[in-house]
Amino acid sequence: MPEPRILILGAGPAGAACAIGLRRLGYGVEIVADWRRFDAVEGVSQRVLEGLRHAGLSNALEQAAIPARRRVRWNGVDQQLNEECLLDRRLFDRALRDDLKQAGVEVIEGRVGGVDSDAQGHRVVLDGGQVLHADFLVEARGRQAPLASDRLRGPESVSLLNLWQGAEGEPFSAVESLEDGWAWMARLADGRCYWQISLDVSTSNLPGKARLPEYCAQRRRESALVSELFGADAWQAATVHARSSTAILAGECSGDNWLRVGDAAMAVDPLSGNGIFQSLSSALQAPAVINTLLRRPEHRALARGFHQQRIEQLFLRFARIGRDFYAQEQDKAGQPFWQRRQAWPDLQPIHLPSDYRQLQVQQRPVVRDAFIEPAEVVVSPDQPLGIWHLQGVPLAPLVRGLQAGSTLDQLLAGRSASEQIMLRSWLVAQGYPR
Ligand code: FAD
């Protein structure tokens, strides 16, 4: 087969991680990259830093590692929590491009205007008129990616991002619950101040675009936390950018010659604080899925199912994490904003209780040697996609052996002491009697 032309649309963390993963598999990759139209500051956890390192995005990692004190004012309680790292999205996005270039990915600066696709390939037209052709397309334009249909949508939400320049100082971030929404705020060491309020679209009664800065200034003035943290800087004029922050799960996340990754596949509520993490998660699995779609046509359905199920599971997990954080706010529980979000997407707990008797051995798709292949995994109500192995030790033979009546001692004979401890602890965590 001739070398397929792979084109990625969008050079955010998902597009970049996917491109570098494909380069590692030996594919030539082009990426169309348009700059974000607004400034933003985002908060990330250690998990994101690990994800960036794992994805080979070392320049981006450097830009994401600004440690900051973190305050949380929620349900009437004020807490100083663990550190969060801050990133300046403009610098972060630039660093992603440096990573791409260093990895040998061809970065095409431009804005995608239109895409025509069929089973033979894709024709992509940039705003300047340039036309690109591809055999395989990765949609990674984030929330701006056109959506044919959505499978699941959270309560419609809008976030108003305010940015202004204050005095230099120690970086911090904070989150605060409000009667009709919540606000996240941060200051970078160079004095750039950032405040973002998230509201329900149907109940927020927002003024027109021209009056948004005045509206936001008033809302900042009403917050004791804002004046405590920013001091007199809080009243500086700010630029305001409105963006949707509704949680959206895309309907179909793949075809035989295309794939959606990152926010284009599933965009989570920013309250979960996991947007970059989830965008990296879906992008890191994508190269093996694409490799299978291109090289192993007999496993195409398996690869597509693998991608879709993981995206849906990730989406629901973060939706439920967000719901539980909303549910911690009891003082305002009667307000429409909170009522809607405390019950969405459902009332299922994030983790289902373990019950050893419900473990089953089933065939599921897994990633093996950069391809999606079927393998025997252990499925439980809490892990419906199954667990294949623990640090290289397959679990299916162990569970099948126990179910067939072998003793644990018999099944663990020949394993190293550390493997025995690991497997016993895993079984106990599944509800196996000690
Ligand atoms: P993006 O980062 O959006 O990247 C898409 C890229 O495609 C961009 O570079 C864009 O310019 C480009 N693009 C778009 N259209 C075109 C086009 N037509 N042609 C060419 N290129 C195009 N996550 C966190 O982890 N922490 C936070 O604190 C946080 N705060 C958030 C606050 C708000 C209000 C919102 C809405 C999201 C927040 N997120 C946060 C989520 C995070 O920004 C995203 O999940 C993450 O950036 C998604 O990565 P991505 O690569 O999928 O998409």
Side-chain angles (χ1 to χ4, degrees):
M1 180 187 176
E3 189 60 31
R5 288 167 303 175
I6 304 179
L7 182 64
I8 300 181
L9 310 183
C18 180
I20 291 181
L22 286 165
R23 285 293 300 140
R24 285 174 172 168
L25 296 182
Y27 288 103
V29 186
E30 292 177 323
I31 191 162
V32 185
D34 187 29
W35 293 110
R36 199 176 252 261
R37 305 284 157 108
F38 55 92
D39 281 323
V41 175
E42 291 180 349
V44 291
S45 62
Q46 283 300 324
R47 278 202 307 189
V48 171
L49 305 188
E50 279 149 33
L52 291 169
R53 191 173 297 117
H54 182 53
L57 298 167
S58 52
N59 289 296
L61 173 64
E62 261 178 54
Q63 293 301 333
I66 309 168
R69 290 179 288 126
R70 181 162 189 249
R71 277 277 284 280
V72 176
R73 187 168 284 181
W74 207 257
N75 196 32
V77 180
D78 215 338
Q79 284 175 286
Q80 187 84 44
L81 286 187
N82 52 342
E83 269 184 2
E84 148 168 87
C85 285
L86 297 178
L87 59 86
D88 172 342
R89 271 308 293 245
R90 198 170 284 275
L91 297 180
F92 180 75
D93 288 353
R94 191 171 300 146
L96 287 172
R97 288 190 200 190
D98 293 341
D99 284 318
L100 285 165
K101 287 175 189 160
Q102 280 169 18
V105 176
E106 192 181 332
V107 179
I108 301 165
E109 302 268 346
R111 186 165 187 80
V112 175
V115 180
D116 270 327
S117 300
D118 61 25
Q120 269 58 58
H122 310 270
R123 183 175 179 273
V124 174
V125 183
L126 305 190
D127 275 355
Q130 189 182 352
V131 178
L132 305 167
H133 294 275
D135 301 306
F136 197 97
L137 197 75
V138 179
E139 175 56 88
R141 281 180 281 171
R143 285 178 176 270
Q144 292 177 65
L147 196 61
S149 66
D150 53 57
R151 185 156 299 189
L152 201 56
R153 241 183 131 86
E156 295 297 324
S157 309
V158 63
S159 296
L160 306 174
L161 325 188
N162 291 218
L163 189 70
W164 71 96
Q165 186 65 45
E168 293 174 4
E170 202 190 326
F172 65 76
S173 71
V175 63
E176 174 183 31
S177 61
L178 308 166
E179 289 297 310
D180 56 349
W182 58 281
W184 185 81
M185 57 207 90
R187 180 181 65 196
L188 297 176
D190 65 7
R192 262 174 304 156
C193 299
Y194 183 83
W195 180 83
Q196 167 197 295
I197 186 169
S198 296
L199 303 164
D200 192 284
V201 169
S202 60
T203 55
S204 58
N205 269 329
L206 287 175
K209 199 174 169 190
R211 292 195 42 232
L212 278 181
E214 189 188 323
Y215 169 85
C216 287
Q218 177 58 30
R219 296 295 307 249
R220 296 206 304 273
R221 249 176 247 122
E222 288 165 9
S223 163
L225 186 62
V226 167
S227 67
E228 189 186 321
L229 289 173
F230 295 100
D233 276 348
W235 324 131
Q236 305 266 8
T239 56
V240 176
H241 179 84
R243 50 190 308 221
S244 163
S245 48
T246 307
I248 301 170
L249 172 64
E252 203 70 67
C253 293
S254 70
D256 285 349
N257 64 357
W258 61 271
L259 202 73
R260 295 177 84 97
V261 293
D263 274 13
M266 52 163 285
V268 293
D269 183 328
L271 184 71
S272 76
N274 276 307
I276 295 182
F277 176 76
Q278 66 75 19
S279 72
L280 287 174
S281 307
S282 66
L284 286 168
Q285 74 186 25
V289 175
I290 297 169
N291 199 25
T292 310
L293 292 173
L294 290 169
R295 305 271 187 226
R296 301 237 172 117
E298 72 278 15
H299 280 159
R300 273 184 185 155
L302 195 74
R304 290 183 54 191
F306 173 90
H307 190 61
Q308 189 76 32
Q309 285 162 6
R310 272 171 175 65
I311 283 183
E312 289 181 6
Q313 208 210 23
L314 203 60
F315 181 81
L316 281 172
R317 184 150 66 90
F318 286 121
R320 292 180 184 131
I321 290 172
R323 173 202 64 196
D324 289 357
F325 197 39
Y326 282 119
Q328 285 174 26
E329 177 49 80
Q330 285 301 306
D331 284 358
K332 306 177 177 73
Q335 301 291 340
F337 175 91
W338 296 92
Q339 254 175 1
R340 285 195 187 115
R341 286 158 182 79
Q342 290 179 346
W344 186 85
D346 51 29
L347 296 177
Q348 185 179 311
I350 299 172
H351 289 293
L352 294 174
S354 48
D355 178 354
Y356 170 73
R357 288 161 307 177
Q358 292 194 43
L359 294 187
Q360 289 179 19
V361 174
Q362 291 186 2
Q363 286 258 329
R364 288 280 196 276
V366 299
V367 181
R368 190 189 336 238
D369 300 331
F371 284 101
I372 308 301
E373 292 184 350
E376 283 200 325
V377 301
V378 177
V379 173
S380 70
D382 192 43
Q383 298 281 349
L385 303 184
I387 312 175
W388 181 22
H389 57 74
L390 271 189
Q391 295 181 22
V393 183
L395 293 172
L398 178 69
V399 170
R400 176 168 288 128
L402 287 170
Q403 288 173 345
S406 303
T407 66
L408 188 53
D409 286 340
Q410 284 169 335
L411 293 163
L412 294 182
R415 294 259 165 226
S416 70
S418 61
E419 283 176 346
Q420 291 199 18
I421 293 170
M422 175 182 79
L423 292 168
R424 280 181 197 279
S425 333
W426 178 77
L427 279 169
V428 169
Q430 307 307 310
Y432 184 75
R434 282 169 196 269

